[in-house]
Amino acid sequence: MTLRTTLACALALSCTTVLADDGAIRRATALAQDAIIVDTHIDAPGILSETWADLGEAAPDREFDWPRARQGGLDIAFMSIYTSAREDSEGKARQSAHAQIDSIEALVHRHSDRFAILTSPADVERLRAGGRVLLPLGMENGAPLGDDLSQVQAFFDRGIRYITLAHSAANRLADSSYGAERQWNGLSPFGREVVAEMNRLGIMVDVSHISDAAAAQAIELSTVPVIASHSAFRHFTPGFERNISDELALAIARRGGVVQVPFGTAFVNAQAAADMQARFRARAEFDARNAELAAAGQPTQDVAAFEAAWDRDHPTPTTPLSAVLDQIDHGVRLLGVDHVGLGSDFDGVGGELAQGLRSVADFPNLVDGLLSRGHSEADVRKILGGNLLRVWREVEAGAARR
């Protein structure tokens, strides 16, 4: 196939080039529009809290908005309620999480004909009538829970339906895959309580970002299937613990769970993954040195200068859409087609995305790639969202049995 611009460009907010002929992209677009597409990780809320944009209209500086979601066939977009390790250490994580949920509620209130908050897969068909894009909420980093188990219920009541136990540093629940030192050697005692409470309420346990030991313990402890909401396969990025190992992926699948593949260059490109791991370690050393300087009453080094120098010395490698397709193919071969899905990380990786997957308008490009590699339409539907919805229903059923 050769690069060409399709008729879809005339209808798009910005022209998208795709690897397909006209007949193939028409087939892929039709399937994307007909299937239920679920993306388990879009970082719109954090950006909304910093700089408001009306995502019910065209928002060209973002990767998610309603017009492009409809163009791409996206039906269910998990909004990532992300809080940083710094917000956790400063005691601001809980407030930040509530503010981000408020921003999504405001968006839905502003455009009730275009968006609805989704809290159960049982409501999908009813709520998506009329072309709504449904917005379930996932908490990326369990830091807002603090050390208060009652906060799991409080955030469930606000709509949270998965919790990524930790992010870029250990918290009160679990160790992070990025941490050079491991505080808990897996889950903390409180983290174990949180997993049990999530099972009781019907919140999906998310093992993306956490250490291998923490992920293994969470998978074993959970009485229902778990997810990796946005984790590529470490098979392609050796030594990059942020991506999931084949062993852990198999453990997820054996318990009925699903691995959701992201589109970010840093996850699907080996050089970019190595650079990201190195960046976290270098930044940790930089911060530790600054803490020493501050304690000694000496001037600290400039953080912005550090970041600028890193970006200059580590340019983002160009990554083709085929890198994402390779990830999905590996997952299907390893786990079976019932255990692979999509968690793009749109609006969360600074635009560093595989070619042809630059916004929510581009799901037909992914569908075309899967079809061209021989995946059946029935299997593509599973990957696009059927698998995640099955897991979510099983998690709900597990809570109902308790």
Side-chain angles (χ1 to χ4, degrees), residues 164 166-170 174-187 206-217 219 228-249 252 259 262 266-270 272-281 327:
T164 315
H167 191 256
S168 60
D175 290 328
S176 165
S177 62
Y178 291 126
E181 297 180 5
R182 303 300 159 93
Q183 182 175 349
W184 306 108
N185 293 317
L187 298 178
D206 177 20
V207 299
S208 288
H209 277 292
I210 62 177
S211 70
D212 282 359
Q217 292 165 21
I219 295 163
S229 68
H230 58 308
S231 289
F233 290 95
R234 200 180 307 165
H235 171 84
F236 298 94
T237 57
F240 186 46
E241 192 174 355
R242 168 62 182 85
N243 278 346
I244 196 160
S245 69
D246 283 2
E247 180 183 9
L248 284 171
I252 288 174
V259 176
F267 306 118
V268 301
N269 181 294
D275 287 347
M276 177 184 274
Q277 186 88 327
R279 182 181 200 141
F280 269 92
R281 291 173 179 165
Q327 291 275 345

Side-chain angles (χ1 to χ4, degrees), residues 74-335:
L74 177 62
D75 299 282
I76 302 172
F78 274 80
M79 296 286 98
S80 173
I81 307 302
Y82 162 71
T83 56
S84 67
R86 175 169 294 180
E87 286 174 310
D88 188 17
S89 66
E90 294 175 352
K92 298 176 180 178
R94 187 172 300 163
Q95 173 63 26
S96 175
H98 281 297
Q100 290 177 59
I101 296 172
D102 288 345
S103 73
I104 297 303
E105 290 179 343
L107 178 65
V108 170
H109 179 75
R110 188 183 187 100
H111 292 289
S112 59
D113 60 331
R114 295 187 170 191
F115 295 114
I117 291 176
L118 180 67
T119 59
S120 170
D123 296 329
V124 169
E125 290 304 323
R126 175 177 63 83
L127 291 177
R128 77 185 185 115
R132 291 187 188 90
V133 175
L134 307 185
L135 307 179
L137 306 178
M139 177 184 285
E140 187 180 22
N141 192 358
L145 304 177
D147 54 8
D148 182 355
L149 193 63
S150 71
Q151 289 299 313
V152 183
Q153 176 78 62
F155 278 106
F156 175 85
D157 292 343
R158 292 223 62 189
I160 294 294
R161 290 301 181 268
Y162 77 67
I163 297 176
T164 315
L165 299 177
H167 191 256
S168 60
N171 59 17
R172 296 169 184 83
L173 282 67
D175 290 328
S176 165
S177 62
Y178 291 126
E181 297 180 5
R182 303 300 159 93
Q183 182 175 349
W184 306 108
N185 293 317
L187 298 178
S188 70
F190 179 63
R192 292 173 176 272
E193 293 181 44
V194 167
V195 169
E197 182 70 353
M198 291 168 68
N199 287 171
R200 184 185 74 83
L201 292 170
I203 300 175
M204 290 179 281
V205 176
D206 177 20
V207 299
S208 288
H209 277 292
I210 62 177
S211 70
D212 282 359
Q217 292 165 21
I219 295 163
E220 178 64 27
L221 181 62
S222 179
T223 59
V224 291
V226 309
I227 68 170
S229 68
H230 58 308
S231 289
F233 290 95
R234 200 180 307 165
H235 171 84
F236 298 94
T237 57
F240 186 46
E241 192 174 355
R242 168 62 182 85
N243 278 346
I244 196 160
S245 69
D246 283 2
E247 180 183 9
L248 284 171
L250 283 165
I252 288 174
R254 281 193 294 267
R255 302 294 291 272
V258 63
V259 176
Q260 303 284 104
V261 173
F263 306 161
T265 300
F267 306 118
V268 301
N269 181 294
Q271 183 57 57
D275 287 347
M276 177 184 274
Q277 186 88 327
R279 182 181 200 141
F280 269 92
R281 291 173 179 165
R283 179 59 190 268
E285 293 171 0
F286 176 88
D287 290 343
R289 175 58 179 158
N290 265 355
E292 292 174 359
L293 292 171
Q298 299 178 24
T300 58
Q301 302 171 74
D302 184 68
V303 174
F306 168 87
E307 296 290 349
W310 185 275
D311 289 340
R312 182 191 65 239
D313 295 340
H314 302 84
T316 302
T318 299
T319 303
L321 185 149
S322 60
V324 177
L325 297 173
D326 289 345
Q327 291 275 345
I328 294 172
D329 283 347
H330 176 75
V332 170
R333 285 193 299 268
L334 178 70
L335 310 176

